Amino acid sequence: MTEVRVRYAPSPTGQPHIGNVRTAFFNWLYARNNGGKFIVRMEDTDQERLVEGAYEGIFDALKWLGIDWDEGPDIGGPYSPYMQSERLKIYDANVEVLLNSGHAYKCFCTRDRLTKLRKEQTDSKADIKYDRHCLSLTSTQIKEHINSGDTYVVRYRVPSSEIVVIDDIVRGQVEWNTDFLDDFVLVKSDGYPTYHLANVIDDHAMKISHVLRAEEWLPSTPRHVLLYQSLGYEMPKFGHLPMILGPDRSKLSKRHGATSILEYRDLGYLPSAVINFMVLLGWSIDDHTEIISVEDMVASFDLKRVGKPAAVFDIDKLNWMNGMYIRSLDNNDLLVAVKNVCIDAYKGRGILLDDEILAKITPLIAPRLKNLMDAPEMIEYFFTQEIDMNKDLISTVGMDDEEIYNALFMSRQYFLESSNFNKSILEVDLRDICTRLESSPRKYFGLLRNVLTGKSATPPLFDVIEILGKNVTLLRIDAALDLFKIN
RNA sequence: GCCCCCGUCGUCUAGCGGCCCAGGACAUCGCCCUUUCACGGCGAAGAUCAGGGGUUCGAAUCCCCUCGGGGGUACCA
């Protein structure tokens, strides 16, 4: 069996979105499962659409997710270079072969003519395809065009009435009649190859064994097959992976909100969660397993279990999974992560983090976190004097003003005299106070929670009070007492 | 228009002729735990397996048609 060599061939025309990356990941999994190679090749043949920073973004995304590559433009490899813009000579040589063998021809048609042609065909509901205007050019005519400086493209001459068949790894047998294909462009007028040409030549040159790409490539596969045949190259196996759709079932785009995978990083998602969520879009390990380690993915990845239908991206499930992974983080990792987002969020607001307090509160918020970004707001009251506490919020506990005042007053006395802010002692004592007040835990503890944190939902109250400490506790009780002072 | 792919709960999916009047997960809704919110546990609801024809003793699973969705039809990838 020949070595498995698969590739991820992004073009640096934008930030990779979850669909691109999922495709990359499936390739990676397949390589790792088979002890093969995972190659990154940059398809930068569209000089007009290059986006600054896109190249870096692609590698940042892979690195963030822990997807490593064996060969690539940055690290080289036995089939360098891995940037298509640096492989122009290789394409030229192949084009020469195609031109000489009559499989390709030069086309001098202007874009205007092509646009007009297409419009006519659309209007008359005819097939939209190139009319082979330049196929019949004589060598003298071609010379004339070239002498007068006309630019040209090279087109592939599609044979008529042939049936092209592939045995797709995920879709099974798919066939096309070449009569429905038009003479596609191989080389653009700027001398750069099109995707069709470059990808076939490079996949062959780099000994790619399996072409695993998104389903949107399926329609152009017959062109590639034809090229392999004309060039006399052995064909790789094809596998067209299901696409990932937006909630409206259309191809993922900017309209669908966060589209770049890196945005998920910035939004507080863990790479492990994103990976796990992503792998389940179009693949499953069995009928019930949802949380899967990367090791297990590698060990059990099988193209046979890749599904055919496109998958809709469901942010709810990602959120749930993110929570699962946050909870599975060990204390210290979570602490570091939370600290980082807090530093960021508090920057410029004069809020100072206290490492000791942070270390105590982090384990308590872990089960409450679906996203790292939720943390700063959730624990802000530990680090700032100005909490969002007001009469309306306090009153939601269901006690009238007098009851509130009395409860706070009694609490104040207790806290003032208390010398041991330990949660178990606090719990015993405060429950006792609650009884003496003839209140209910729900009301009384709710009151204290509101007053001490400015929030109606927090980690367990006694933990919170212990961490807050005597000073802050008294300060906040006093502030609340002021609000309910009987005039 | 034409070509190609796809079609199981709202969503991700299991299923590859009898184990399925369809299993798991997210979301939803209850209940339990409980000082709140979560987590966790338990449970409910939710899919005439897109529809219609076949084949078969038997079909979500095989075949055909229809419908629906998506993708492609660029000197973009």
Side-chain angles (χ1 to χ4, degrees):
Chain A
M1 197 184 149
T2 53
E3 187 191 21
V4 166
R5 291 177 55 83
V6 292
R7 99 273 126 124
Y8 170 47
S11 74
T13 52
Q15 298 300 312
H17 60 64
I18 191 146
N20 304 138
V21 177
R22 202 279 321 261
T23 299
F25 189 53
F26 276 19
N27 272 279
W28 182 86
L29 283 174
Y30 189 66
R32 294 293 172 258
N33 175 269
N34 286 283
K37 294 285 193 295
F38 175 68
I39 295 131
V40 175
R41 181 176 70 223
M42 205 50 68
E43 310 236 321
D44 58 340
T45 55
D46 187 344
Q47 295 296 299
E48 285 169 28
R49 296 201 315 152
L50 295 183
V51 170
E52 200 178 335
Y55 176 89
E56 290 75 14
I58 287 164
F59 290 107
D60 285 351
L62 295 178
K63 284 179 203 154
W64 179 58
L65 293 167
I67 302 173
D68 59 344
W69 52 99
D70 305 303
E71 298 167 28
D74 56 336
I75 56 172
Y79 303 98
S80 289
Y82 292 85
M83 287 286 271
Q84 290 190 324
S85 58
E86 294 167 12
R87 301 174 61 81
L88 265 26
K89 280 202 279 292
I90 303 173
Y91 310 128
D92 286 347
N94 281 276
V95 170
E96 211 47 48
V97 170
L98 291 170
L99 246 16
N100 291 147
S101 60
H103 285 298
Y105 60 94
K106 291 171 178 163
C107 167
F108 296 89
C109 291
T110 62
R111 292 183 199 244
D112 279 354
R113 193 184 101 80
L114 261 16
T115 313
K116 239 173 83 187
L117 176 69
R118 215 168 290 134
K119 191 182 180 314
E120 282 167 14
Q121 289 171 338
T122 311
D123 292 349
S124 62
K125 299 197 168 168
D127 285 5
I128 299 166
K129 53 194 281 194
Y130 179 59
D131 64 356
R132 295 196 149 170
H133 180 262
C134 292
L135 178 58
S136 49
L137 254 34
T138 63
S139 53
T140 353
Q141 285 173 307
I142 293 175
K143 220 163 279 169
E144 273 169 25
H145 267 120
I146 291 180
N147 285 341
S148 47
D150 294 342
T151 59
Y152 62 89
V153 301
V154 176
R155 286 182 186 274
Y156 181 78
R157 181 181 177 173
V158 175
S160 59
S161 305
E162 272 184 29
I163 304 296
V164 172
V165 187
I166 62 161
D167 188 21
D168 193 275
I169 298 170
V170 348
R171 271 148 233 287
Q173 188 167 304
V174 184
E175 54 176 65
W176 296 266
N177 185 320
T178 56
D179 288 343
F180 296 109
L181 260 43
D182 71 351
D183 290 350
F184 56 98
V185 173
L186 297 173
V187 182
K188 299 178 255 189
S189 54
D190 63 1
Y192 280 81
T194 59
Y195 169 86
H196 303 304
L197 210 224
N199 123 86
V200 165
I201 291 173
D202 286 344
D203 283 345
H204 171 261
M206 297 177 180
K207 296 201 162 48
I208 298 303
S209 60
H210 303 255
V211 172
L212 307 177
R213 65 210 334 180
E215 192 198 333
E216 57 194 300
W217 291 108
L218 193 52
S220 49
T221 303
R223 298 190 177 104
H224 307 155
V225 172
L226 253 18
L227 276 172
Y228 279 108
Q229 291 171 350
S230 301
L231 256 7
Y233 292 159
E234 193 189 339
M235 241 182 290
K237 292 213 168 20
F238 291 102
H240 288 91
L241 275 13
M243 308 218 308
I244 298 178
L245 273 24
D248 62 354
R249 304 205 122 273
S250 75
K251 209 170 157 177
L252 229 39
S253 76
K254 317 95 236 155
R255 287 188 303 106
H256 301 300
T259 156
S260 159
I261 197 81
L262 261 10
E263 282 179 63
Y264 288 92
R265 175 192 62 189
D266 302 339
L267 251 26
Y269 290 93
L270 261 24
S272 48
V274 172
I275 281 276
N276 196 152
F277 170 72
M278 195 164 75
V279 82
L280 256 16
L281 257 27
W283 179 76
S284 62
I285 195 166
D286 57 30
D287 64 343
H288 65 278
T289 308
E290 305 284 338
I291 304 293
I292 314 169
S293 68
V294 172
E295 296 70 50
D296 287 344
M297 292 178 200
V298 168
S300 48
F301 189 74
D302 185 349
L303 254 12
K304 287 198 192 78
R305 290 194 68 86
V306 171
K308 290 195 250 260
V312 172
F313 180 94
D314 178 23
I315 193 78
D316 281 335
K317 188 155 181 178
L318 208 212
N319 287 336
W320 164 77
M321 197 160 277
N322 203 226
M324 292 293 281
Y325 275 90
I326 285 177
R327 268 169 263 133
S328 75
L329 245 35
D330 72 56
N331 269 325
N332 204 37
D333 289 347
L334 181 61
L335 181 61
V336 171
V338 168
K339 184 172 178 174
N340 285 335
V341 293
C342 284
I343 288 174
D344 245 29
Y346 297 159
K347 195 167 28 191
R349 292 186 51 202
I351 299 178
L352 279 183
L353 269 181
D354 178 319
D355 284 344
E356 205 177 316
I357 290 180
L358 192 65
K360 284 184 192 160
I361 190 62
T362 297
L364 296 178
I365 60 169
R368 275 153 255 262
L369 238 34
K370 271 207 160 42
N371 192 299
L372 290 175
M373 289 316 215
D374 299 337
E377 200 264 328
M378 210 176 258
I379 58 177
E380 196 180 306
Y381 57 86
F382 284 107
F383 308 110
T384 177
Q385 287 309 306
E386 300 144 34
I387 61 167
D388 189 20
M389 189 236 299
N390 57 68
K391 222 176 152 168
D392 287 344
L393 172 73
I394 296 170
S395 301
T396 57
V397 295
M399 298 162 92
D400 64 32
D401 286 14
E402 197 184 334
E403 288 172 314
I404 290 173
Y405 185 84
N406 289 337
L408 289 177
F409 190 81
M410 203 183 287
S411 308
R412 183 183 188 284
Q413 284 309 116
Y414 165 71
F415 289 130
L416 192 62
E417 288 158 14
S418 168
S419 57
N420 198 344
F421 262 53
N422 166 284
K423 66 176 177 182
S424 23
I425 293 173
L426 285 165
E427 171 157 12
V428 172
D429 294 344
L430 290 171
R431 281 191 189 281
D432 183 50
I433 292 174
C434 180
T435 311
R436 284 177 13 225
L437 283 166
E438 294 183 320
S439 185
S440 69
R442 186 184 188 84
K443 287 181 182 171
Y444 178 52
F445 297 150
L447 170 67
L448 290 180
R449 170 173 293 106
N450 287 166
V451 166
L452 296 175
T453 69
K455 290 175 171 304
S456 52
T458 71
L461 221 217
F462 311 114
D463 288 278
V464 169
I465 298 178
E466 178 184 310
I467 298 171
L468 236 26
K470 185 165 179 169
N471 282 351
V472 176
T473 300
L474 280 171
L475 238 41
R476 291 187 181 166
I477 296 267
D478 282 342
L481 235 21
D482 271 352
L483 292 174
F484 287 85
K485 207 169 348 202
I486 302 146
N487 298 315

